[in-house]
Short mmCIF file of all heavy atoms in Angstrom, two decimals:
data_model
loop_
_atom_site.label_atom_id
_atom_site.label_comp_id
_atom_site.label_asym_id
_atom_site.label_seq_id
_atom_site.Cartn_x
_atom_site.Cartn_y
_atom_site.Cartn_z
N LYS A 543 75.87 99.53 129.47
CA LYS A 543 76.91 98.90 128.66
C LYS A 543 76.31 98.41 127.36
O LYS A 543 75.11 98.16 127.25
CB LYS A 543 77.52 97.70 129.40
CG LYS A 543 78.49 98.06 130.49
CD LYS A 543 79.14 96.80 131.05
CE LYS A 543 79.86 96.05 129.95
NZ LYS A 543 80.51 94.83 130.45
N PHE A 544 77.20 98.26 126.36
CA PHE A 544 76.77 97.68 125.10
C PHE A 544 76.55 96.19 125.28
O PHE A 544 77.30 95.50 125.98
CB PHE A 544 77.82 97.92 124.01
CG PHE A 544 77.90 99.34 123.56
CD1 PHE A 544 79.14 99.92 123.28
CD2 PHE A 544 76.76 100.11 123.40
CE1 PHE A 544 79.22 101.23 122.85
CE2 PHE A 544 76.85 101.43 122.99
CZ PHE A 544 78.07 101.99 122.72
N THR A 545 75.52 95.69 124.60
CA THR A 545 75.28 94.25 124.63
C THR A 545 76.28 93.54 123.72
O THR A 545 77.06 94.18 123.01
CB THR A 545 73.86 93.94 124.16
OG1 THR A 545 73.72 94.40 122.79
CG2 THR A 545 72.83 94.67 125.03
N LEU A 546 76.24 92.22 123.76
CA LEU A 546 77.14 91.44 122.91
C LEU A 546 76.87 91.74 121.44
O LEU A 546 77.81 91.88 120.64
CB LEU A 546 76.95 89.94 123.20
CG LEU A 546 77.73 88.98 122.31
CD1 LEU A 546 79.23 89.18 122.46
CD2 LEU A 546 77.36 87.52 122.63
N LEU A 549 78.37 95.14 120.55
CA LEU A 549 79.82 95.08 120.41
C LEU A 549 80.20 94.45 119.06
O LEU A 549 81.11 94.94 118.36
CB LEU A 549 80.44 94.28 121.56
CG LEU A 549 80.46 94.94 122.93
CD1 LEU A 549 81.02 93.98 123.98
CD2 LEU A 549 81.28 96.22 122.90
N CYS A 553 82.27 96.18 115.88
CA CYS A 553 83.44 95.54 115.25
C CYS A 553 83.18 95.28 113.76
O CYS A 553 84.08 95.43 112.93
CB CYS A 553 83.78 94.24 115.97
SG CYS A 553 84.34 94.47 117.67
N LEU A 604 84.31 104.21 120.56
CA LEU A 604 83.13 103.65 121.22
C LEU A 604 83.50 102.43 122.07
O LEU A 604 83.05 102.30 123.21
CB LEU A 604 82.08 103.26 120.17
CG LEU A 604 81.11 104.35 119.70
CD1 LEU A 604 80.19 103.81 118.65
CD2 LEU A 604 80.31 104.88 120.88
N LEU A 605 84.31 101.55 121.50
CA LEU A 605 84.72 100.35 122.24
C LEU A 605 85.52 100.72 123.48
O LEU A 605 85.34 100.14 124.56
CB LEU A 605 85.55 99.44 121.33
CG LEU A 605 84.83 98.86 120.10
CD1 LEU A 605 85.80 98.11 119.22
CD2 LEU A 605 83.69 97.95 120.53
N VAL A 606 86.41 101.72 123.32
CA VAL A 606 87.22 102.15 124.47
C VAL A 606 86.34 102.77 125.54
O VAL A 606 86.47 102.46 126.74
CB VAL A 606 88.31 103.14 123.99
CG1 VAL A 606 89.01 103.78 125.19
CG2 VAL A 606 89.33 102.44 123.12
N GLN A 607 85.44 103.65 125.14
CA GLN A 607 84.59 104.32 126.12
C GLN A 607 83.65 103.35 126.82
O GLN A 607 83.36 103.52 128.00
CB GLN A 607 83.78 105.42 125.42
CG GLN A 607 84.63 106.60 124.99
CD GLN A 607 83.86 107.63 124.19
OE1 GLN A 607 82.73 107.38 123.80
NE2 GLN A 607 84.46 108.78 123.95
N ASP A 608 83.20 102.31 126.10
CA ASP A 608 82.32 101.33 126.72
C ASP A 608 83.04 100.58 127.83
O ASP A 608 82.54 100.46 128.95
CB ASP A 608 81.81 100.36 125.66
CG ASP A 608 80.92 99.28 126.26
OD1 ASP A 608 79.88 99.62 126.83
OD2 ASP A 608 81.29 98.09 126.17
N LEU A 609 84.26 100.09 127.51
CA LEU A 609 85.02 99.37 128.54
C LEU A 609 85.48 100.32 129.64
O LEU A 609 85.49 99.95 130.83
CB LEU A 609 86.22 98.69 127.88
CG LEU A 609 87.12 97.87 128.80
CD1 LEU A 609 86.33 96.79 129.51
CD2 LEU A 609 88.28 97.24 128.01
N ASP A 610 85.82 101.53 129.28
CA ASP A 610 86.27 102.50 130.27
C ASP A 610 85.14 102.86 131.22
O ASP A 610 85.33 102.95 132.45
CB ASP A 610 86.77 103.75 129.54
CG ASP A 610 87.68 104.58 130.42
OD1 ASP A 610 88.15 104.04 131.44
OD2 ASP A 610 87.95 105.75 130.08
N ALA A 612 82.62 100.98 131.90
CA ALA A 612 82.29 99.81 132.73
C ALA A 612 83.20 99.72 133.95
O ALA A 612 82.80 99.17 134.99
CB ALA A 612 82.41 98.54 131.89
N ILE A 642 88.87 93.56 136.38
CA ILE A 642 89.36 92.41 135.60
C ILE A 642 88.19 91.67 134.96
O ILE A 642 88.28 91.20 133.81
CB ILE A 642 90.18 91.48 136.51
CG1 ILE A 642 91.43 92.20 137.00
CG2 ILE A 642 90.56 90.19 135.77
CD1 ILE A 642 92.23 91.41 138.01
N LEU A 643 87.05 91.58 135.68
CA LEU A 643 85.88 90.89 135.13
C LEU A 643 85.37 91.60 133.88
O LEU A 643 85.08 90.96 132.86
CB LEU A 643 84.78 90.83 136.19
CG LEU A 643 83.46 90.16 135.74
CD1 LEU A 643 83.70 88.72 135.36
CD2 LEU A 643 82.41 90.27 136.83
N HIS A 644 85.29 92.92 133.93
CA HIS A 644 84.82 93.67 132.75
C HIS A 644 85.80 93.51 131.58
O HIS A 644 85.38 93.38 130.42
CB HIS A 644 84.66 95.14 133.10
CG HIS A 644 83.49 95.42 133.98
ND1 HIS A 644 82.19 95.08 133.64
CD2 HIS A 644 83.40 96.01 135.21
CE1 HIS A 644 81.36 95.44 134.61
NE2 HIS A 644 82.07 96.00 135.58
N ILE A 645 87.08 93.52 131.89
CA ILE A 645 88.08 93.36 130.81
C ILE A 645 87.95 91.99 130.18
O ILE A 645 87.98 91.83 128.94
CB ILE A 645 89.49 93.59 131.37
CG1 ILE A 645 89.68 95.07 131.72
CG2 ILE A 645 90.55 93.14 130.38
CD1 ILE A 645 91.02 95.38 132.36
N LYS A 646 87.78 90.95 131.01
CA LYS A 646 87.66 89.60 130.47
C LYS A 646 86.35 89.39 129.71
O LYS A 646 86.26 88.50 128.86
CB LYS A 646 87.76 88.58 131.61
CG LYS A 646 89.17 88.46 132.18
CD LYS A 646 89.25 87.37 133.24
CE LYS A 646 90.68 87.20 133.74
NZ LYS A 646 90.79 86.14 134.78
N GLN A 647 85.36 90.19 130.00
CA GLN A 647 84.10 90.08 129.27
C GLN A 647 84.19 90.74 127.90
O GLN A 647 83.70 90.20 126.91
CB GLN A 647 82.96 90.72 130.09
CG GLN A 647 82.51 89.89 131.29
CD GLN A 647 81.44 90.60 132.10
OE1 GLN A 647 81.16 91.77 131.87
NE2 GLN A 647 80.85 89.88 133.06
N ASN A 648 84.79 91.91 127.84
CA ASN A 648 84.77 92.70 126.60
C ASN A 648 85.91 92.38 125.65
O ASN A 648 85.70 92.24 124.44
CB ASN A 648 84.79 94.20 126.93
CG ASN A 648 83.45 94.72 127.39
OD1 ASN A 648 82.66 93.97 127.97
ND2 ASN A 648 83.18 95.98 127.16
N VAL A 649 87.12 92.31 126.18
CA VAL A 649 88.30 92.24 125.30
C VAL A 649 88.29 91.00 124.41
O VAL A 649 88.57 91.11 123.20
CB VAL A 649 89.59 92.34 126.13
CG1 VAL A 649 90.82 92.11 125.25
CG2 VAL A 649 89.68 93.70 126.79
N PRO A 650 88.01 89.77 124.92
CA PRO A 650 88.00 88.62 123.99
C PRO A 650 86.99 88.77 122.86
O PRO A 650 87.26 88.37 121.72
CB PRO A 650 87.65 87.44 124.91
CG PRO A 650 88.09 87.88 126.27
CD PRO A 650 87.82 89.34 126.32
N ILE A 651 85.81 89.36 123.18
CA ILE A 651 84.81 89.55 122.12
C ILE A 651 85.35 90.50 121.05
O ILE A 651 85.26 90.25 119.84
CB ILE A 651 83.51 90.10 122.72
CG1 ILE A 651 82.91 89.09 123.71
CG2 ILE A 651 82.51 90.43 121.63
CD1 ILE A 651 81.72 89.63 124.49
N ILE A 652 85.94 91.61 121.50
CA ILE A 652 86.48 92.58 120.54
C ILE A 652 87.64 91.98 119.76
O ILE A 652 87.74 92.16 118.53
CB ILE A 652 86.93 93.85 121.31
CG1 ILE A 652 85.72 94.50 121.99
CG2 ILE A 652 87.63 94.82 120.38
CD1 ILE A 652 86.09 95.64 122.91
N ARG A 653 88.52 91.25 120.43
CA ARG A 653 89.67 90.67 119.74
C ARG A 653 89.23 89.66 118.68
O ARG A 653 89.75 89.66 117.55
CB ARG A 653 90.61 90.00 120.74
CG ARG A 653 91.85 89.38 120.10
CD ARG A 653 92.70 88.63 121.10
NE ARG A 653 91.98 87.54 121.71
CZ ARG A 653 91.71 87.47 123.03
NH1 ARG A 653 92.12 88.43 123.83
NH2 ARG A 653 91.03 86.46 123.53
N ASP A 654 88.29 88.81 119.03
CA ASP A 654 87.85 87.80 118.06
C ASP A 654 87.12 88.42 116.88
O ASP A 654 87.23 87.94 115.75
CB ASP A 654 86.95 86.78 118.76
CG ASP A 654 87.71 85.96 119.81
OD1 ASP A 654 88.96 85.90 119.69
OD2 ASP A 654 87.08 85.42 120.72
N ASN A 655 86.37 89.49 117.13
CA ASN A 655 85.65 90.14 116.04
C ASN A 655 86.54 91.03 115.19
O ASN A 655 86.14 91.44 114.10
CB ASN A 655 84.48 90.96 116.59
CG ASN A 655 83.26 90.10 116.90
OD1 ASN A 655 82.46 89.81 116.03
ND2 ASN A 655 83.15 89.67 118.15
N PHE A 663 92.83 96.40 116.46
CA PHE A 663 92.72 95.87 117.82
C PHE A 663 93.86 96.40 118.69
O PHE A 663 93.66 96.75 119.86
CB PHE A 663 92.73 94.34 117.80
CG PHE A 663 92.74 93.73 119.18
CD1 PHE A 663 91.62 93.84 120.00
CD2 PHE A 663 93.87 93.10 119.66
CE1 PHE A 663 91.63 93.28 121.29
CE2 PHE A 663 93.89 92.55 120.93
CZ PHE A 663 92.76 92.64 121.75
N PHE A 666 92.97 99.82 119.66
CA PHE A 666 91.99 99.78 120.75
C PHE A 666 92.70 99.60 122.09
O PHE A 666 92.40 100.31 123.07
CB PHE A 666 90.98 98.66 120.50
CG PHE A 666 90.26 98.21 121.74
CD1 PHE A 666 89.22 98.99 122.27
CD2 PHE A 666 90.62 97.04 122.39
CE1 PHE A 666 88.56 98.58 123.43
CE2 PHE A 666 89.96 96.64 123.54
CZ PHE A 666 88.93 97.41 124.07
N LEU A 710 96.57 92.23 128.47
CA LEU A 710 95.29 92.59 127.86
C LEU A 710 95.14 92.09 126.41
O LEU A 710 94.10 91.53 126.07
CB LEU A 710 95.12 94.11 127.91
CG LEU A 710 93.82 94.66 127.32
CD1 LEU A 710 92.64 94.29 128.20
CD2 LEU A 710 93.89 96.17 127.15
N ILE A 713 94.37 88.31 126.63
CA ILE A 713 93.61 87.80 127.77
C ILE A 713 92.45 86.93 127.29
O ILE A 713 91.77 87.25 126.32
CB ILE A 713 93.11 89.00 128.63
CG1 ILE A 713 92.62 88.49 129.98
CG2 ILE A 713 92.05 89.77 127.90
CD1 ILE A 713 92.34 89.62 130.97
#
Side-chain angles (χ1 to χ4, degrees):
K543 283 186 59 180
F544 289 141
T545 62
L546 175 62
L549 287 177
C553 294
L604 274 178
L605 297 174
V606 170
Q607 290 175 349
D608 178 61
L609 181 57
D610 200 16
I642 296 175
L643 178 62
H644 288 303
I645 290 176
K646 288 184 176 180
Q647 286 177 351
N648 283 29
V649 173
I651 298 173
I652 297 172
R653 181 185 60 243
D654 294 338
N655 279 276
F663 175 69
F666 159 77
L710 180 70
I713 193 170

